[in-house]
Amino acid sequence: MILHSLARYYTRLSAEQDNAGNPKVPAYGFSEEKIGYVVVLNSDGLVVDVVPHLTDDKKPQPRLMAVPRPEKRTSGVKSNFLWDKTAYALGVESNKDKAAAKTEPFVPSEKTFSAFKTLHEEKLKDSEDAGLQALYRFLLHWQPEKFAEPPFTSEMLDANIVFRLDGRWNCIHQSEAAQALWAQMLQSDDVEQGLCLISGEPAPIARLHPAIKGVWGGQSSGGSIISFNKESFTSFGKEQGANSPVSEHAAFAYTTALNYLLRSDKHRLNIGDASTVFWAEAADNAQAEAAEDFFATIMTDIPCRANLHTISEAAEDFFATIMTPPDDAQENQKIFDIIEQIAKGRPLAEAAPDLADDTRFYILGLAPNAARISVRFWLDTTFGQLAAHLAQHWQDLQLEPRPWKNPPLIWRLLIQTASLGKSENISPVLAGEMTRAVIGGTPYPMSLLSQLIVRIRADGDANGLRIAMIKAVLQRKFRKGLINEGVDMSLNVESHNQAYLLGRLFAVLERIQNQALGDLNAGIADRYYGSASAVPFSVFPRLLAGAKHHLSRLRKDKAGMAVNLDKDLGSIITLLPETFPRHLSLDEQGRFAIGYYHQKQHYFAKKSPETSEE
């Protein structure tokens, strides 16, 4: 399913163009690679100039260019066709000896240059194309020592280079003659024929699949999802790609589409340690104009959100907006308004009529594993199901009153689990597990609950975002039938849950102390919250004894306040057993935190005239 979906996505991309009018993905047999320099040759094969092919950034980087697909060089020496790095194309590479590199920045690389020269002399000698003949003549008389002369510079070392004939705009590999020759080279007679698992049709089977590049933490040369290089991985005596027969064209299609997604800022994000890509697939592209109007309205002035042309792109942008930090709070509020409507039971067709429920949506998480790439998670769903899962996440988080001005995105929630509130301290494993729970509708990880409890005990900050996540963890467990009792959005004075009552009781005791003594450097929350939420038996008797003294003092100055707080204290104690529990489980500590938060918010919400007078 993964490869099949990616191959279909390549078909869609191949029919589209980027903002510059170029195809979004290269044609079969070609690959987009980072090319740093263009060597200009005259018809005799002499070097006329070297033109940088770099970005305009402060630190220029090689730009992408469609070139004949590279050879897989996991071992041995193999030359690319009509382009390569300087070690192959010019026979020079950077000097690895740092001390000697100051006077001799490059050293010859005879073996690799010989491979490049032998390949091209064999393939180009009979060509009548002027550009191919120029390259042929260049290789006949080129000596690596000439690299020390202008127009070559040491900055070129180890960069990928291509060639161009002086007087032409396109490079040699882009000419019709070069592409026809490359097409002949792709048609090898010794390629095994078989039934392609992706297309279901007989075709030449790819022995090695093109490299997949851009996975965070992976090798710069790329990796493979499908590869066989040991007998223990094979079956029935088959070798390498024959064990999982995929045609050369299908292998090119799925790897090209995946490389495109991994390079894209719009289609890629990091979830924990997994590079995650996502794309959509719509059956009816005729509704593109309606989808464009819809997203133009709700994403005005947000970068990378304009010029939408398909329902699929609308769905992809919708997901990207949910998963990434907001560029504009007002515009992101519009997105969450739609999610909230869905959470309240309104169908997607009514909340966002231009987004089809049946639009397919795919999410793929990849992580490196040596030269291979492992699939961390794979989600194949409809946009309607994805929206429902996001809406359920939003509903699970709900608290009254809402503890946020702008709807909290995943990155904002995860920052609450990190020490010092720094994003680099977020656990990558936790980030991945939580995001999978959000997009897949599965239970939240218990590590999220434990991490939140640890953070509250460490810094004493039981803020609304943390309590909302604790509530979401428990509420989803209840909906999945894993626990017997749900969690309310606001204070529930009817609840008999022991842990919830203890949290409320602790908030009342804190309120009594605060009203009697004012703000303290270290109140009972600072000193006893951790032990009260974990081992109530050892703390609460002492706190209740102290509360009697605080109430007697409070009656002298604020008699009405003392009466109300004493009532709150008594109403909670009557619902508790005679002895306090010796310890609370992780779930119970979560309910303790929720009860504590609910009771505190209840006091802040009391602003009636009677309360003010008291």
Side-chain angles (χ1 to χ4, degrees):
M1 285 299 295
I2 298 176
L3 306 188
H4 193 211
S5 302
L6 286 167
R8 290 199 307 269
Y9 187 59
Y10 170 80
T11 302
R12 177 186 133 193
L13 291 173
S14 62
E16 298 177 355
Q17 295 181 336
D18 58 20
N19 294 334
N22 300 317
K24 284 188 174 182
V25 290
Y28 171 63
F30 286 78
S31 173
E32 286 192 326
E33 302 294 333
K34 294 179 180 180
I35 304 299
Y37 296 88
V38 179
V39 177
V40 183
L41 308 174
N42 63 17
S43 57
D44 295 326
L46 300 177
V47 177
V48 176
D49 195 8
V50 173
V51 180
H53 189 258
L54 306 172
T55 62
D56 297 329
D57 304 331
K58 292 183 179 179
K59 293 183 178 180
Q61 299 294 325
R63 289 190 290 171
L64 293 174
M65 179 184 291
V67 294
R69 71 184 184 196
E71 294 287 344
K72 296 195 75 171
R73 292 196 284 239
T74 54
S75 62
V77 175
K78 298 178 183 178
S79 171
N80 294 328
F81 186 58
L82 300 179
W83 70 278
D84 218 317
K85 58 184 180 179
T86 57
Y88 280 83
L90 300 177
V92 292
E93 60 183 342
S94 59
N95 194 338
K96 302 300 186 293
D97 187 343
K98 295 183 179 180
K102 295 180 180 179
T103 55
E104 298 179 2
F106 68 90
V107 293
S109 51
E110 298 178 359
K111 191 174 181 180
T112 52
F113 178 64
S114 176
F116 187 84
K117 183 177 180 179
T118 301
L119 172 66
H120 289 81
E121 285 182 348
E122 177 187 350
K123 300 298 181 182
L124 305 184
K125 61 183 179 180
D126 297 328
S127 175
E128 297 180 357
D129 180 74
L132 296 177
Q133 278 296 307
L135 179 57
Y136 175 74
R137 297 188 183 101
F138 165 78
L139 293 173
L140 287 178
H141 62 71
W142 170 256
Q143 297 296 324
E145 294 77 12
K146 295 182 180 180
F147 186 82
E149 304 171 4
F152 299 103
T153 63
S154 59
E155 286 78 10
M156 292 180 59
L157 290 170
D158 301 331
N160 289 328
I161 66 170
V162 294
F163 298 89
R164 177 165 62 85
L165 181 63
D166 190 26
R168 289 186 179 179
W169 288 102
N170 59 341
C171 296
I172 291 176
H173 71 273
Q174 295 171 329
S175 67
E176 292 184 7
Q179 295 190 15
L181 180 57
W182 176 237
Q184 293 177 8
M185 294 171 62
L186 291 174
Q187 298 175 358
S188 177
D189 295 332
D190 59 353
V191 175
E192 181 179 352
Q193 300 288 319
L195 190 67
C196 176
L197 295 178
I198 294 179
S199 66
E201 299 177 356
I205 299 302
R207 180 172 175 270
L208 298 175
H209 294 199
I212 297 168
K213 301 180 180 180
V215 175
W216 182 77
Q219 296 182 358
S220 59
S221 58
S224 299
I225 291 180
I226 299 175
S227 67
F228 304 83
N229 65 345
K230 293 185 178 180
E231 291 185 2
S232 57
F233 302 152
T234 63
S235 59
F236 299 102
K238 296 183 178 180
E239 294 183 357
Q240 296 190 336
N243 289 275
S244 179
V246 175
S247 69
E248 291 190 341
H249 191 280
F252 169 81
Y254 91 77
T255 54
T256 302
L258 189 50
N259 283 327
Y260 170 84
L261 292 168
L262 288 167
R263 287 196 306 268
S264 172
D265 293 332
K266 172 182 173 182
H267 296 273
R268 172 188 173 160
L269 52 95
N270 286 337
I271 298 178
D273 60 347
S275 297
T276 305
V277 295
F278 54 90
W279 68 98
E281 188 177 277
D284 184 10
N285 288 333
Q287 299 181 28
E289 186 175 353
E292 180 179 349
D293 292 343
F294 174 77
F295 273 85
T297 301
I298 64 175
M299 295 187 181
T300 305
D301 298 329
I302 296 181
C304 302
R305 297 290 188 266
N307 301 321
L308 302 180
H309 296 288
T310 63
I311 302 172
S312 302
E313 289 177 339
E316 290 160 1
D317 271 42
F318 187 79
F319 180 71
T321 305
I322 299 301
M323 300 299 293
T324 53
D327 298 292
D328 185 282
Q330 183 178 359
E331 298 303 325
N332 277 270
Q333 180 65 51
K334 295 178 182 178
I335 292 288
F336 275 93
D337 286 344
I338 295 174
I339 296 246
E340 189 173 17
Q341 292 178 48
I342 299 170
K344 292 178 179 178
R346 189 177 180 188
L348 177 65
E350 296 181 12
D354 298 315
L355 289 175
D357 275 343
D358 58 353
T359 298
R360 300 302 304 178
F361 207 89
Y362 306 100
I363 304 172
L364 174 63
L366 302 172
N369 180 14
R372 289 175 174 80
I373 297 172
S374 60
V375 176
R376 278 294 177 86
F377 53 88
W378 163 247
L379 179 65
D380 176 2
T381 184
T382 64
F383 189 67
Q385 290 175 330
L386 177 64
H389 291 157
L390 293 171
Q392 188 61 66
H393 163 70
W394 178 236
Q395 192 173 40
D396 288 340
L397 286 172
Q398 290 292 340
L399 283 177
E400 293 295 341
R402 288 187 180 181
W404 47 71
K405 293 182 180 178
N406 300 317
L409 302 178
I410 289 181
W411 69 272
R412 186 177 165 199
L413 295 174
L414 286 171
I415 204 71
Q416 296 295 328
T417 68
S419 60
L420 304 178
K422 294 183 177 180
S423 57
E424 58 266 27
N425 293 333
I426 296 174
S427 165
V429 176
L430 175 60
E433 291 177 347
M434 179 177 176
T435 307
R436 284 194 291 272
V438 172
I439 63 180
T442 58
Y444 294 99
M446 287 304 293
S447 58
L448 174 63
L449 178 58
S450 63
Q451 189 66 22
L452 289 167
I453 290 173
V454 167
R455 294 315 314 154
I456 293 175
R457 295 178 65 173
D459 56 28
D461 184 13
N463 62 56
L465 286 178
R466 288 176 173 176
I467 300 302
M469 283 190 281
I470 292 174
K471 182 248 181 185
V473 172
L474 297 177
Q475 185 63 18
R476 184 159 296 190
K477 289 183 70 175
F478 170 69
R479 285 194 297 101
K480 298 292 184 180
L482 301 177
I483 56 177
N484 298 323
E485 186 177 351
V487 184
D488 295 290
M489 290 192 297
S490 57
L491 180 65
N492 180 8
V493 296
E494 304 295 330
S495 174
H496 285 69
N497 184 278
Q498 193 171 209
Y500 184 80
L501 288 169
L502 289 171
R504 289 184 58 201
L505 179 60
F506 191 79
V508 173
L509 294 173
E510 182 187 25
R511 178 77 170 180
I512 291 172
Q513 183 193 59
N514 180 264
Q515 293 297 318
L517 305 180
D519 293 332
L520 301 173
N521 290 332
I524 64 170
D526 302 309
R527 299 174 61 186
Y528 299 110
Y529 179 89
S531 53
S533 62
V535 284
F537 180 82
S538 64
V539 176
F540 273 100
R542 190 187 322 166
L543 295 179
L544 287 171
K548 292 180 181 179
H549 299 292
H550 297 151
L551 283 171
S552 62
R553 179 170 180 173
L554 190 59
R555 290 189 184 96
K556 298 176 182 179
D557 302 323
K558 303 177 182 178
M561 176 70 73
V563 170
N564 288 333
L565 290 175
D566 198 17
K567 288 180 180 178
D568 290 343
L569 196 65
S571 65
I572 296 173
I573 291 177
T574 56
L575 298 176
L576 287 167
E578 293 184 2
T579 58
F580 292 103
R582 293 191 174 275
H583 69 275
L584 297 180
S585 66
L586 193 63
D587 282 1
E588 290 172 331
Q589 290 181 51
R591 289 187 185 273
F592 181 98
I594 295 171
Y596 173 69
Y597 179 82
H598 280 171
Q599 190 67 43
K600 287 189 68 172
Q601 292 301 311
H602 174 69
Y603 289 130
F604 292 142
K606 279 188 175 182
K607 297 188 182 298
S608 63
E610 294 83 358
T611 305
S612 301
E613 291 176 5
E614 291 170 352

